[in-house]
């Protein structure tokens, strides 16, 4: 099977672009909420001191399709974003959204190095 045929089957409900866009938007909302005045102080502590949302850069790392995993029977799709500090290009961590085969969010993972 050609790659495009596989992609058409896997991304039948939502396109790869839609899932990537949803993941980027989800991370942006999380960062906005974390660094807002009311914010999430426990999460903000995970970032280097004096870090602001404008200091961060997001880059698509990978789109992974799992046919079956220990945690999720059936097909799942993980969109992985890298989070960098702009000025230093230091990779701060990763953020992932995991979707089921219908394109519904089933898990989100934030790892700060």
């Amino acid at each position: 099977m050609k790659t495009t045929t596989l992609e058409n089957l896997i991304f039948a409900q939502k396109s790869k672009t839609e899932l990537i866009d949803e993941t980027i938007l989800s991370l942006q909302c999380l960062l906005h909420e974390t660094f807002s005045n009311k914010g999430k102080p426990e999460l903000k502590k995970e970032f280097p001191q004096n870090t602001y949302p404008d200091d961060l850069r997001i880059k698509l790392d990978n789109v992974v399709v799992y046919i079956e995993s220990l945690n999720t029977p059936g097909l799942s799709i993980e969109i992985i974003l890298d989070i960098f500090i702009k000025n230093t290009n230091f990779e701060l961590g990763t953020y992932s959204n995991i979707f089921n085969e219908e394109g519904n969010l089933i898990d989100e993972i934030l790892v700060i190095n």
Side-chain angles (χ1 to χ4, degrees):
M1 246 184 211
K2 292 189 175 211
T3 303
T4 54
T5 306
L6 280 174
E7 281 195 15
N8 289 339
L9 290 171
I10 293 167
F11 301 105
Q13 300 296 318
K14 285 188 179 176
S15 73
K16 183 173 22 173
T17 302
E18 287 175 309
L19 296 178
I20 292 168
D21 289 346
E22 282 184 33
T23 304
I24 291 170
L25 183 60
S26 178
L27 175 56
Q28 288 173 333
C29 289
L30 178 65
L31 291 174
H32 176 73
E33 188 177 340
T34 299
F35 290 102
S36 70
N37 290 336
K38 295 177 185 173
K40 295 185 174 205
E42 70 283 355
L43 186 56
K44 189 174 181 179
K45 291 177 187 174
E46 297 296 318
F47 289 86
Q49 200 170 21
N50 298 321
T51 300
Y52 300 96
D54 290 342
D55 298 332
L56 304 176
R57 182 173 59 86
I58 300 167
K59 178 183 164 231
L60 176 64
D61 179 25
N62 216 339
V63 176
V64 181
V65 176
Y66 302 101
I67 303 301
E68 195 165 303
S69 71
L70 295 174
N71 299 329
T72 310
L75 185 97
S76 61
I77 303 156
E78 182 176 14
I79 309 296
I80 305 167
L81 303 175
D82 290 332
I83 306 166
F84 292 90
I85 302 283
K86 276 185 190 175
N87 295 340
T88 61
N89 250 355
F90 173 75
E91 185 176 337
L92 187 58
T94 60
Y95 177 81
S96 298
N97 274 353
I98 301 174
F99 300 91
N100 64 14
E101 58 191 303
E102 285 84 36
N104 298 319
L105 181 66
I106 55 175
D107 202 359
E108 101 182 292
I109 303 165
L110 174 66
V111 177
I112 302 296
N113 299 332

